[in-house]
Amino acid sequence: MRRLVIGEARRRRNSFLSYSSHFQSYSYSSSTSAVVHSPTLMDSSAVSLDTLNPKVLNCEYAVRGEIVILAQRLQQQLLDKPGSKPFDEILYCNIGNPHSLGQQPITFFREVLALTDYPALLDKTETQGLFSADAIKRAWHILQQIPGRATGAYSHSQGVKGLRDTIAAGMEARDGFPADPNDIFLTDGASPAVHMMMQLLLSSEKDGILCPIPQYPLYSASITLHGGSLVPYFLDEETGWGLEISELKKQLEDAKSKGINVRALVVINPGNPTGQVLAEENQRKIVEFCKQEGLVLLADEVYQENVYAPEKKFHSFKKVSRSMGYGEEDVSLVSFQSVSKGYHGECGKRGGYMEVTGFSPEIREQIYKLSSVNLCSNIGGQILASLVMSPPKDGDESYESYRAEKDGILSSLARRAKQLEEAFNKLEGVSCNKAEGAMYLFPRIRLPQKAIKAAAGENRAADAFYCNRLLNATGVVLVPGSGFGQVPGTWHFRCTILPQEDKIPAIVSRLAEFHKSFMQEFRD
């Protein structure tokens, strides 16, 4: 019976992963096989795979999928039996989690967080010698804005009003256009904000979201969980992962012809997993497209601080829209920001927000209702979001150390991106576009037919087969491109640029040695 249940779960998942029912030109390849759990004594449990919500069964999230589970198992084996593998450590290049890979937090941010979490420190004389004066002043100011001056208290469902004021002021300074704190909803990272908008916009599989391919799997997962349809538009790898308006129009019309009501367009800038930074003129065309087609523009801008190409600059879609003369009544725009990325990389603090503009009061009331269901986001994350948008300024005691820490992190990331890009482009059959921003490279790998057939024999996507073999041989963890979506017949993998600089040579040498052996083994 259990085999039948697992088989049905696989069938349901695989039927979802093929979008051919709506999009005959695109098939979303799965990078993993269904995870089969060991039998238990609870075979007659009230909950089984065939009684679960099929949306949960169909949902996948590649960056924490099968490859990572295998990596964690190998890591435990290394701890239990040192020397048992042909490598001495696991090198995680799979996820944008900077602090887990050795990046240090920004001192000023952590000082303020420590003082607000334990306000009794502010009354101790030793504090003046241990903490910077501007951190102490900022902590006092923040505590006066929080109910009960306690970070353990609930806040307003949109977040502490004073912190939203600070964030709005930071956005206004960045863009040169007004920002309203009442448009800001503080969330536990950007992910809950994305889920909230999908919940708001999707009522059935007849509702669609235009989403880039390759894409960050949060979008495909959230669209699935909320019962909608992903409408793929392909980024052009040959032009540095360009976003062409003609491709948006083509996919929109194709979706309409199949009865899909496209509600919104997702744009990730800088790109994940592709690392491109959009030109302002391109952004203008995207805004115009959304206005003409009546689409909500969902702007994922969590990597706005991560721009490495000297000729590129981040522009928020809010700034671009307002500079075109468009106001609230012209374009519905939701922009997402997070404390997890940028130079701060505070993933575990779970701080973020969305700015919601261009919606009627009636719709905003519904968004607020969704926020209220979750009561509020965590206060520490809210504080950190305000600090990110209002860091120390020239003349503050912490400014010089803050600038040194920030610039040191970003310049190091740029060097790591360049090292890895050059290394990938030296591998046989591999081509890698320049990382203009974000935290990732997304190289294309041209695999021999013999390897593709071997992968099919294991019921794996070919790039998942490659990444699995790489991990077992070297301890290097990459994410198969099939987990992000790609042009059918092409194969990729995503690699973060986050391992510390002294680890990059080991990653490069292990990968080069493995790749040479792999290509030789499977040469046609």
Side-chain angles (χ1 to χ4, degrees):
M1 176 63 185
R2 184 171 181 80
R3 290 181 180 175
L4 291 174
V5 171
I6 297 293
E8 175 64 11
R10 284 180 175 152
R11 186 195 65 75
R12 290 177 179 175
R13 187 203 62 190
N14 291 336
S15 67
F16 166 77
L17 289 173
S18 172
Y19 287 92
S20 58
S21 59
H22 293 309
F23 308 103
Q24 295 179 351
S25 62
Y26 176 59
S27 179
Y28 198 130
S29 301
S30 172
S31 62
T32 63
S33 302
V35 177
V36 181
H37 299 280
S38 300
T40 70
L41 297 178
M42 298 297 291
D43 285 337
S44 60
S45 169
V47 179
S48 64
L49 287 177
D50 60 352
T51 62
L52 280 183
N53 182 344
K55 296 171 187 173
V56 175
L57 293 174
N58 291 337
C59 168
E60 292 202 354
Y61 188 69
V63 296
R64 288 180 182 255
E66 180 191 34
I67 297 290
V68 181
I69 294 170
L70 173 59
Q72 292 166 343
R73 186 162 68 244
L74 292 173
Q75 186 170 27
Q76 187 60 48
Q77 290 173 4
L78 284 173
L79 290 173
D80 294 341
K81 294 182 179 180
S84 61
K85 301 295 176 185
F87 44 86
D88 56 3
E89 66 175 328
I90 302 295
L91 295 172
Y92 287 96
C93 302
N94 63 295
I95 193 168
N97 193 11
H99 290 193
S100 72
L101 296 173
Q103 181 176 309
Q104 296 302 300
I106 299 298
T107 303
F108 175 80
F109 294 170
R110 287 299 182 91
E111 285 188 354
V112 175
L113 288 174
L115 293 167
T116 51
D117 266 341
Y118 188 44
L121 288 173
L122 293 166
D123 297 324
K124 296 182 181 294
T125 55
E126 308 96 290
T127 299
Q128 303 295 327
L130 293 172
F131 294 82
S132 60
D134 52 338
I136 293 172
K137 181 179 179 181
R138 184 73 69 91
W140 273 116
H141 178 70
I142 289 172
L143 285 169
Q144 290 169 1
Q145 299 171 333
I146 297 174
R149 298 185 178 182
T151 56
Y154 286 136
S155 76
H156 186 280
S157 291
Q158 283 184 241
V160 174
K161 174 60 164 59
L163 300 179
R164 286 186 282 124
D165 288 339
T166 300
I167 292 169
M171 295 172 71
E172 186 168 335
R174 180 195 67 193
D175 295 338
F177 292 95
D180 186 345
N182 292 316
D183 292 337
I184 296 168
F185 291 76
L186 289 164
T187 52
D188 289 321
S191 298
V194 171
H195 277 286
M196 199 181 306
M197 293 313 301
M198 297 303 175
Q199 193 170 11
L200 185 84
L201 294 171
L202 300 172
S203 58
S204 77
E205 62 182 12
K206 289 296 185 181
D207 289 326
I209 304 291
L210 270 164
C211 197
I213 298 298
Q215 53 97 28
Y216 176 43
L218 165 66
Y219 291 97
S220 55
S222 60
I223 290 168
T224 301
L225 286 172
H226 297 294
S229 291
L230 185 150
V231 180
Y233 67 88
F234 291 91
L235 302 178
D236 185 356
E237 187 168 8
E238 298 303 316
T239 60
W241 299 113
L243 195 166
E244 302 294 337
I245 300 300
S246 58
E247 170 69 5
L248 293 179
K249 291 179 178 178
K250 173 187 172 184
Q251 298 299 344
L252 177 63
E253 291 307 312
D254 189 48
K256 287 180 178 178
S257 72
K258 294 174 173 63
I260 301 296
N261 177 27
V262 179
R263 306 296 309 279
L265 167 67
V266 172
V267 179
I268 307 174
N269 181 46
N272 176 10
T274 45
Q276 84 283 10
V277 178
L278 295 177
E280 186 174 8
E281 181 57 32
N282 194 188
Q283 291 182 263
R284 287 173 172 268
K285 292 177 181 177
I286 293 167
V287 169
E288 190 64 40
F289 172 76
C290 288
K291 181 179 184 297
Q292 291 177 354
E293 300 296 342
L295 301 177
V296 177
L297 176 52
L298 302 175
D300 184 330
E301 299 177 339
V302 302
Y303 296 99
Q304 60 188 259
E305 296 279 0
N306 299 100
V307 178
Y308 313 121
E311 71 279 9
K312 290 297 183 79
K313 183 179 179 182
F314 169 78
H315 300 280
S316 76
F317 272 99
K318 166 84 170 296
K319 173 185 174 181
V320 171
S321 176
R322 296 297 180 265
S323 69
M324 294 171 69
Y326 293 147
E328 292 270 348
E329 68 283 358
D330 297 305
V331 179
S332 296
L333 170 64
V334 183
S335 59
F336 305 104
Q337 169 65 312
S338 172
V339 306
S340 301
K341 310 305 176 185
Y343 60 90
H344 20 86
E346 293 274 13
C347 301
K349 295 300 183 183
R350 309 311 301 135
Y353 64 82
M354 62 179 178
E355 183 191 27
V356 178
T357 60
F359 291 84
S360 69
E362 294 79 13
I363 299 302
R364 290 175 61 88
E365 184 179 329
Q366 299 306 309
I367 298 172
Y368 179 74
K369 180 171 67 177
L370 289 176
S371 295
S372 300
V373 170
N374 294 319
L375 295 176
C376 71
S377 60
N378 80 88
I379 303 299
Q382 293 187 33
I383 293 171
L384 193 49
S386 76
L387 297 175
V388 165
M389 294 306 292
S390 181
K393 295 177 174 57
D394 192 6
D396 293 342
E397 182 180 327
S398 297
Y399 179 73
E400 293 301 328
S401 62
Y402 160 75
R403 285 298 311 184
E405 291 171 347
K406 175 183 177 180
D407 293 346
I409 290 168
L410 291 175
S411 61
S412 176
L413 287 172
R415 289 193 297 272
R416 285 176 258 175
K418 185 65 175 175
Q419 283 180 274
L420 287 168
E421 173 201 331
E422 291 175 349
F424 291 143
N425 281 318
K426 290 177 181 178
L427 299 178
E428 179 188 354
V430 175
S431 59
C432 182
N433 282 325
K434 179 180 179 179
E436 297 176 337
M439 294 178 172
Y440 316 98
L441 292 163
F442 198 66
R444 179 177 178 180
I445 179 169
R446 293 161 179 84
L447 294 168
Q449 284 300 314
K450 188 176 175 182
I452 294 172
K453 289 178 181 177
E458 294 186 9
N459 195 30
R460 294 180 190 274
D463 47 14
F465 176 76
Y466 179 90
C467 290
N468 188 280
R469 292 279 295 255
L470 172 71
L471 173 56
N472 277 299
T474 69
V476 175
V477 188
L478 303 177
V479 187
S482 45
F484 300 87
Q486 53 200 345
V487 172
T490 67
W491 308 105
H492 299 77
F493 56 80
R494 188 185 80 165
C495 179
T496 74
I497 62 173
L498 294 175
Q500 293 300 295
E501 285 192 74
D502 62 350
K503 299 289 186 184
I504 299 297
I507 293 169
V508 170
S509 62
R510 292 188 198 184
L511 181 58
E513 183 179 348
F514 165 81
H515 186 79
K516 181 179 180 180
S517 173
F518 181 92
M519 296 299 282
Q520 190 61 38
E521 178 182 354
F522 292 99
R523 196 170 302 281
D524 295 326

